[in-house]
């Protein structure tokens, strides 16, 4: 019996630092708006957004899955995100923010040196940067990303210092 659905700040997640943010926004708006008008009475959906021109919002409002897919795949292809490449996320946590930054910078130098000596030019080392949730349970968190056709090959050429967590093909980057 839902006849009216309001989606407030539908675009909040679009600008999260995760390549899947457009997909998540499209999915959320599509799913919520699909709840209106399932019964005998017609339904109405009101979407409030600061970015009505964003392809995820427009496609979700029109229930245009094909258009969203085309735009999303073009975005991922241009920026070398999955499924056109693979990612490895390396996260380091420590009670000291300074120690996290130093560990990230040190590992970056080692990764770049290992990449260059192994001839893995197709692997890109991104970061280090603070994680989106930069402090969790009293520990600061920094991350590095490896992007390429086989970024795990780079990890075979060096041993990681203690404390680094490796996430191959991460589900999210937050």
């Amino acid at each position: 019996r839902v006849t009216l659905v309001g989606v407030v700040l539908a675009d909040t997640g679009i600008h999260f630092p995760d390549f899947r943010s457009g997909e998540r926004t499209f999915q959320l708006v599509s799913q919520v708006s699909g709840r209106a008008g399932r019964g005998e009475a017609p339904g109405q959906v009101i979407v409030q957004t600061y970015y009505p021109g964003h392809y995820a919002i427009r496609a979700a409002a029109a229930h245009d899955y094909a258009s969203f897919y085309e735009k999303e795949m073009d975005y991922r292809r241009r920026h070398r995100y999955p499924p056109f490449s693979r990612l490895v996320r390396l996260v380091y946590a420590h009670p000291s923010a300074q120690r996290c930054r130093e560990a990230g910078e040190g590992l970056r130098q080692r990764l770049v040196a290992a990449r260059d000596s192994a001839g893995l030019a197709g692997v890109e080392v991104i970061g280090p940067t603070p994680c989106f949730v930069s402090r969790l349970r009293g520990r600061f968190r920094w991350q590095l990303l490896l992007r390429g056709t086989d970024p795990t090959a780079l990890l075979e050429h060096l041993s990681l210092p203690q404390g680094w967590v490796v996430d191959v093909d991460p589900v999210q980057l937050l």
Side-chain angles (χ1 to χ4, degrees):
R1 291 193 216 159
V2 177
T3 58
L4 176 64
V5 171
V7 184
V8 180
L9 292 173
D11 49 20
T12 301
I14 286 177
H15 301 293
F16 280 173
D18 189 333
F19 72 94
R20 290 184 179 97
S21 62
E23 178 182 354
R24 287 194 179 103
T25 299
F26 174 81
Q27 180 183 20
L28 179 66
V29 173
S30 295
Q31 186 178 29
V32 169
S33 62
R35 301 291 183 243
R38 287 187 172 186
E40 295 174 13
Q44 182 180 11
V45 178
I46 299 172
V47 178
Q48 187 268 325
T49 176
Y50 288 107
Y51 299 97
H54 192 280
Y55 69 91
I57 299 291
R58 283 185 299 153
H63 296 288
D64 188 353
Y65 298 96
S67 170
F68 172 76
Y69 177 81
E70 285 179 30
K71 296 274 190 191
E72 184 70 9
M73 288 300 108
D74 180 55
Y75 167 79
R76 291 186 187 190
R77 185 180 298 108
R78 283 185 288 121
H79 295 285
R80 297 180 54 222
Y81 284 121
F84 303 100
S85 70
R86 293 185 66 200
L87 294 175
V88 173
R89 182 178 185 222
L90 304 160
V91 178
Y92 184 78
H94 194 274
S96 165
Q98 178 69 16
R99 176 70 182 107
C100 274
R101 186 180 62 75
E102 291 169 356
E105 290 171 354
L107 183 58
R108 177 186 171 69
Q109 291 173 358
R110 291 184 60 210
L111 287 166
V112 168
R115 177 196 65 194
D116 294 346
S117 69
L120 298 170
V123 178
E124 185 179 1
V125 180
I126 304 168
T129 61
C131 293
F132 182 71
V133 178
S134 61
R135 192 169 183 191
L136 185 64
R137 294 185 206 100
R139 297 171 61 90
F140 292 91
R141 301 169 356 118
W142 278 62
Q143 69 182 355
L144 286 148
L145 291 177
L146 306 178
R147 178 170 57 188
T149 54
D150 187 15
T152 58
L154 179 54
L155 297 177
E156 295 170 6
H157 293 276
L158 77 147
S159 60
L160 291 175
Q162 187 175 1
W164 284 93
V165 175
V166 179
D167 189 358
V168 178
D169 297 323
V171 174
Q172 66 177 355
L173 300 178
L174 301 176

